[in-house]
Amino acid sequence: MEWRQAKWDEKLIFEYPSLKQSHIVIPFDEEFAHYKEKFLDKVMKRGIMRLNVDIPNLSEPIVVRHFVRLSQQSYGVDVGPVPLGSCTMKYNPKVCNEALRVLDIEEVHPEELDEYVQGLLEILYLLERWLAEITGMDKCSFQPPAGAAGEFAGALMIKKFHEDRGEHRDEMLIPDSAHGSNPASAAMAGFKIIKIPTSQYGTLDLEALKSVVSERTAGLMLTNPNTLGVFEDKILEIADIVHSAGGLLYYDGANLNGIIGIARPGDMGFDIVHLNLHKTFGAPHGGGGPGGGVVCAKGALVEYLPRPLIAFDGTKYYWDYECRRCIGIIRAYYGNIPALIRAFVYIAMLGPEGLREVAEVSVLNTNYFIKKLSKHQSVVGLTHDTFRPRKHETVLSASQLKKDTGVSAEDVSKRMLDYGIHAPMMYFPLIVDEALMIEFTECEPKFEIDRYVEVLSKTVTEAYRDSNKLKCAPMNTAISRLDLVRANHPKKLILSWKFKNEIKELQNELKHS
Amino acid sequence: MEWRQAKWDEKLIFEYPSLKQSHIVIPFDEEFAHYKEKFLDKVMKRGIMRLNVDIPNLSEPIVVRHFVRLSQQSYGVDVGPVPLGSCTMKYNPKVCNEALRVLDIEEVHPEELDEYVQGLLEILYLLERWLAEITGMDKCSFQPPAGAAGEFAGALMIKKFHEDRGEHRDEMLIPDSAHGSNPASAAMAGFKIIKIPTSQYGTLDLEALKSVVSERTAGLMLTNPNTLGVFEDKILEIADIVHSAGGLLYYDGANLNGIIGIARPGDMGFDIVHLNLHKTFGAPHGGGGPGGGVVCAKGALVEYLPRPLIAFDGTKYYWDYECRRCIGIIRAYYGNIPALIRAFVYIAMLGPEGLREVAEVSVLNTNYFIKKLSKHQSVVGLTHDTFRPRKHETVLSASQLKKDTGVSAEDVSKRMLDYGIHAPMMYFPLIVDEALMIEFTECEPKFEIDRYVEVLSKTVTEAYRDSNKLKCAPMNTAISRLDLVRANHPKKLILSWKFKNEIKELQNELKHS
Amino acid sequence: MPHYWIYNSDPEIKRSMLSELGINDTMELFKDVPENLILKKPLHVGFGRYLSEYEILRFLKMQREKILHPKIPPFTGIEMCIHFVPAVVKELMLRNEFYTAYTPYQPEINQGILQALFEYQSVMAELYGVEVVNASMYDGSTALAEAIRMAIRATRRRKIVIARSVSPIKRRVVETWTYGIGVSLHYIGWDENDGSVNMEELSGKLDADTAAVVVEVPNVFGVVEHRLYELAQEVHRIGGLLIVFANPLALGVIKPPGELGADIVVGEGQPLGLGLYYGGSTLGILGVRRDMNLIRQMPGKLVGMTRSYLGERGFALVLQTREQHIRRERATSNITTNSALNAIAALIYVTWLGGDGIRKLSLSIAARTEYLREKIRSVDRLQAPLFTDALYFMKIPIKFLNKDCETVSKELRRRGILCCSDLGRYDSELRNIATICVTEVHSKEDIDTLVDALKQVVM
Amino acid sequence: MPHYWIYNSDPEIKRSMLSELGINDTMELFKDVPENLILKKPLHVGFGRYLSEYEILRFLKMQREKILHPKIPPFTGIEMCIHFVPAVVKELMLRNEFYTAYTPYQPEINQGILQALFEYQSVMAELYGVEVVNASMYDGSTALAEAIRMAIRATRRRKIVIARSVSPIKRRVVETWTYGIGVSLHYIGWDENDGSVNMEELSGKLDADTAAVVVEVPNVFGVVEHRLYELAQEVHRIGGLLIVFANPLALGVIKPPGELGADIVVGEGQPLGLGLYYGGSTLGILGVRRDMNLIRQMPGKLVGMTRSYLGERGFALVLQTREQHIRRERATSNITTNSALNAIAALIYVTWLGGDGIRKLSLSIAARTEYLREKIRSVDRLQAPLFTDALYFMKIPIKFLNKDCETVSKELRRRGILCCSDLGRYDSELRNIATICVTEVHSKEDIDTLVDALKQVVM
Ligand SMILES: Cc1ncc(COP(=O)(O)O)c(C=O)c1O
Ligand SMILES: Cc1ncc(COP(=O)(O)O)c(C=O)c1O
């Protein structure tokens, strides 16, 4: 029996028959009826009155169905495993949703005075202490709305730190295996990016590092375990090299799941750390966001953290806006509060033992998978030092498969979808040819990993037998393989309902195909 | 492009690989560790210790996925139209879910003292007043957990009423078109059921009624509009006939949607009324229940209502347990509170105008559908007086179709499922051959009714062209047509996981098919 | 007036539909309703106009302010005690496909609900030690009433022997449900030492007309009936049936009634992941051992496993000929709407716990009961616990010697503690007896707080 | 120690997995971590042990008691005002398939999210009067910062002219985001009569190095900039771009910026169905007119409509070569995680309202603003409203003449009213100026209560 995703030939909302009017009920509306004319007069006089908003008027039941149907054509961790490497798609505990409901802060305004939200501030204060402890940092700021924003904040902190000392350091060192947001963030802060190659062992090439550090080195951005899932075992030497040259160490916390509770970036020599609450701490990804970021710092760098910081004077919790050297604010108000509450609950539920279990099991899962897969087939496998254990994730290469059969990492991924299993992350990190990056997190049970091995192996076998099947995949998803060339073609690009002609053209094509 | 329901070859929970232990965390458990032994000693001594509960131990993420996948293979009003006649499957407003959250009564104990739940009692009091007003009754009891329980309560009230007057009345009159729960309820209260035929006009046969009323008549149970969707226009005469004979009139409120806000059972002469909050008042059906029932009474019958009744003494709301003639309690505590809150919110949101709109549009929808359908095809259509407007629902007969093609009402229904549309209620009421009973409620938009007409008409056409297609339907649902004969076969019956041998046998069959 | 829930209430849409019908006004569709029945004035309901969501929610928030929760979790509980409901249950119950569905009369499009109900039937069968449990009844009390009616049909006898230690609320429900059909209810007392059924009294009541004996485990006093096996033997000897009402959470640590000889098992599912909600809605559990005669007499829906014609495994409602929509006045019950969604909730909860988790939870509650039992002895002026030799689960019964129970509970409530409803309210023979209920939500500190308050109040 | 979220933490499962690996202890998988880095003591986090769900929720309920809500809905709002969130939005956002999904990099299995994001892009494009809106930014403030960086890239100029009437919080975010990359920010003031941009001052600042002019509608004072058209003309004459930050709810009654000449539109999506949640998370709206140069410079994700190879219509992420995961240091932004779920929430809200509903809602808010404007005049010792000739939407600015703004807001808060954050906190030139925000949640009575309280407090 085959899996099939739900398939609704669901209209766009614009294609639903719209009512002339909306019959929505607006609170207390009649009380102000008299004042509507007054306002309209004024707007009219200024010639800026809007007459029409071209969005359909429907009824509530129709709206509900539309989105329920769309949801059935989507796939998240609550549907099945989503072992996207680098994304730490772990289970989002339901108690965190309930926690948000229980706290009842939907209507709490960010400009509320501190003394009226002590219950909330205490939670944030505890969380801040916990995150500092977990990372081995002195202080954390909740400002960054996500990981990349944490990186940007960190890059600015590094920049300002050097400037304040009158040093001109404009080079940021970044491994070639790094996530794209690292160079992008550093570039946004005005740094020149110096790429450091990865050694055959899957770790930073120390000689290369030594050869580029200089008095222009502002810092090194690193994630450890790195994006190959390999722990940078020379991290203390690396830190030494960078620090000796006057540079700072930035830790990309996206991969913290591989060592949380076991080792701390602070102890490794990092000066600044960002965390992705939506990865390591179980906050949901929401189909892309919002997540939640945190940026932490040690020693002299604390002064540079974006403000405000949560503080406690022994009797009261409050926001500390004091900013002598800080980089300022990087977004309005305090942070992505719901993600912070979720992280608080997540840590509270697990405690020290649980967090350690998270790292242990996520690493166990990765290595079990690698071993099991290698027993089933040997075409798709590790690159770089195959004897080294991986941590939270692993990267396989389908390049042999591609050579043999013409089947690409993408084809393999698409075919896996047909089994009701989410595909790996494809083509990242860039240093691995035909990369398939897989991260189970601690949450996937053994039997799902076994099944993943089975499906991946079956797919490899199919590639040799009938590569066409993979090229045509997926067939069991709501829709079959999409034409991305057409999607990106500048003349055919359709970015909204306003691209009327292009849509008409597309519909014509569809009719004739 | 065809609709397809999601299809998961989802294991039973018992088929998942179980852990030896459960790692659930129980609150404050260690605090009491010491006392566990004490208890176990005592149980052991009495020889009644349980050693094993054979239910698998899984992890939370697995549990979540299991039920998400099951849900994707189900179909409710939030997925598409469910125009099951007699069920009033209307939209369940989301604000009612939110209302329950906001009220925060999950932990309110039914033995709480009245003075601590005044906020809740006030809501119930208002609701009681509103329902009395809507039905034209004097007083309502929230005791019945559903409609059928309301009928049973009503039947008991009728019984006790007559007994208290020393009258021996043991016959309950019930039309042949009535819902099965009516005779079942009356029988449970010990009544003999006298069936009244339906006239060619689709209404109660008055002559037949006259011919059976007697001094043994306890009452007449009626729904109006009736299950054909026809309004009993002679209702005042009917009431007269029954009352004159010393009988009482019971109103089955399941069909109230057809006249709510337009006419009231109380004004028609009914003495007792039950309401189905999960039909008329937008509470969800939950895949079968729980719903919520209410039973209301007029005049002398009020004394007989099940207790307690909600009351107000001018300053405080309270439960009135006083019971001189009441039939007692028919369930523990007060009622299905969540359904009551939902009904309160439903009525509050709509107010008098909205409730009337409910009836008007639900009736408009029915008649529009009948007209439209008759234009598209003439095989499947009304029985009984076709000139009479229908109210909330209508009953079509596929008997001509069956004669012509061998395709049954069931086949038509199954085929409709293939279009992602829920089938009508089949084979009810019993007085219509090959009945298809359809109720859109006020919530279905015109375009969905049009589509329903289209699909039903297409299905009829298919029946003549290729009846096999209908016999094999459905194909697009999670599973194809089920073998109900096997399902009910006494030797093959499988009612739980404990029917191990029968399950093994079935699995063997499946393997070989 | 058009409303945003009702698409076709839009004037233009209405007009187009009316014109299809060739009429001008919807009211023409009501021309068969006698003129004098048509309401002339708007109903006096709601707030007289359309409310916005915001307004109703703001109103409800005001009402919420007038619902005062006790400071620590309640200790009362004749029919139900407070229990914890995990977030998974609340979230998954609200899957739109589940909660907005009807009874799965079209099985092909509702396999999810059917499989879940089959799983529910299976886990409950396992818990209660029987083979068959139906797809839910309204609540425990009505399930018990139906079980008794079922026993009467199955045995064609008309006498029921009920332990007086069955909760008086349930007993009163049973009285209503057996009113006027010629059934006689006979009550038997309890053993003064251990609070369990008085076996001698029982033996005296059994005869050839006895359809069934009814006991509760733990009973209204929290006492675990520990002689079910003997009881079953006695009842069966005279050809009657044993009906056991059992708390599902007790069944993690004590042998299930089905295993000890019960013919019909009944329970209230509320402890399995359902909130209190001021008493409802809950979940009636009803099961029987595998006996076709009993199965055919069962009320309510049953889901069976079968196959599709194409050879897939599937689930469907079975044995519907027992039910009202087919058998009408000869149906085994009138029940139509049941508690399916709560059954699914209970299933989710049980699956979340796992079999071993249920055992652990049961034991944790039992341990608390032991703790309370020990602790309560320190309170003077109470007979506590009421029975010295009893095995208690979840509840400890106490008897007030110098004070009125109602007064005590009011006084406790004033101190933020909800405890000790007077059982005498439902059965005057039980006056000034109350039970204290402790569950997984109570910490040691909570229990200590209660006991300290009790000490002060009974002084 | 095993935990119920983590199946493989079970000792037996772990053992079997370890044995597959031929090792005895998971820690062997960490042998490459330098010994001295391995933590020797447990972390000092959480409550030192596993908590049950019940315990954490009970803890949070205690914390909730220490969150004191004002008696009537808040009137503050520099960056965000309180708005109503309908139940549909909350319920549908929590569809498991939506909220537990990752960014839809595999479009075939995530058509639902992609279609929803395409619809989001479309409704926002309609609201703002442009053709292209991306699939979301973090929030309004960072979206504005990115819009400015984008204008710099698109024009290759380095001067930005910002109205001082753009909210000071956003201005400070912009300062951070343009730090140290050689961009100069120039501020221009407002017209003392009508609170809109001072056009003369603006003209003086425009030159051939000007990348963009930035204004807000309604601006920090609640004033609707009504000369956008002229402004656009001026900016375009010197080859610069006009960036307009606009409140989406104002766009139901006033012409959208895109129609008046804005090149880049920006907004904060919180008014569209997102709770306040103490400031986050929200939704950054960012769009441009249809110009390939601008589109190629956009940050963030874009969803496009296309077809499958089998001829079905479908949706996918497009123009990804702009993004960090492909373009790395030359990407248009570093943004990765965005606010997709909030975008879907906003879409649901807008669909729920309908285009006409947005108009009605906007007008209802506008009417309240007019009411407040009239009412507030009765308060002495205030300059209220600050600008006599202005067109206000949602906010009325007031200036305290005899009292300190901070003192006033504290005093009001003591009376249960949250109002009047001092704008001077973020820009000292705005000291003792505050705005009062009124939205669809405020009744006449609420507004009257505020005004009465203000009267008493400023006395
Ligand atoms: C290794 C790595 N670093 C940084 C990021 C960026 O984090 P965010 O998506 O929270 O902005 C990611 C996210 O995918 C990542 O995988
Ligand atoms: C006409 C009619 N009467 C009574 C009932 C029984 O109501 P309930 O299902 O609430 O018990 C129904 C329910 O289907 C019905 O349609």
Side-chain angles (χ1 to χ4, degrees), chain A residues 163-221:
Chain A
E163 281 179 6
D164 283 357
R165 300 180 179 227
E167 295 192 21
H168 178 70
R169 290 173 176 271
D170 63 349
E171 291 182 354
M172 188 67 85
L173 314 184
I174 299 178
D176 55 2
S177 65
H179 190 259
S181 59
N182 294 9
S185 300
M188 278 174 72
F191 288 110
K192 226 181 102 189
I193 312 306
I194 309 292
K195 204 195 277 185
I196 317 280
T198 298
S199 77
Q200 56 176 313
Y201 306 109
T203 52
L204 195 74
D205 185 330
L206 244 68
E207 293 316 306
L209 174 66
K210 281 181 199 157
S211 74
V212 296
V213 288
S214 73
E215 74 291 344
R216 291 184 57 185
T217 300
L220 169 67
M221 294 179 85

Side-chain angles (χ1 to χ4, degrees), chain A residues 329-360:
Chain A
I329 61 175
I330 62 161
R331 54 88 59 81
Y333 304 119
Y334 317 108
N336 278 6
I337 302 295
L340 294 163
I341 308 280
R342 286 172 192 276
F344 174 84
V345 172
Y346 185 85
I347 298 171
M349 292 283 283
L350 287 175
E353 286 188 273
L355 290 184
R356 197 184 164 105
E357 201 67 45
V358 162
E360 285 197 23

Side-chain angles (χ1 to χ4, degrees), chain B residues 366-378:
Chain B
T366 306
N367 290 287
Y368 173 80
F369 167 71
I370 295 169
K371 183 64 174 283
K372 200 89 198 238
L373 183 71
S374 71
K375 279 190 172 175
H376 275 68
Q377 56 80 52
S378 54

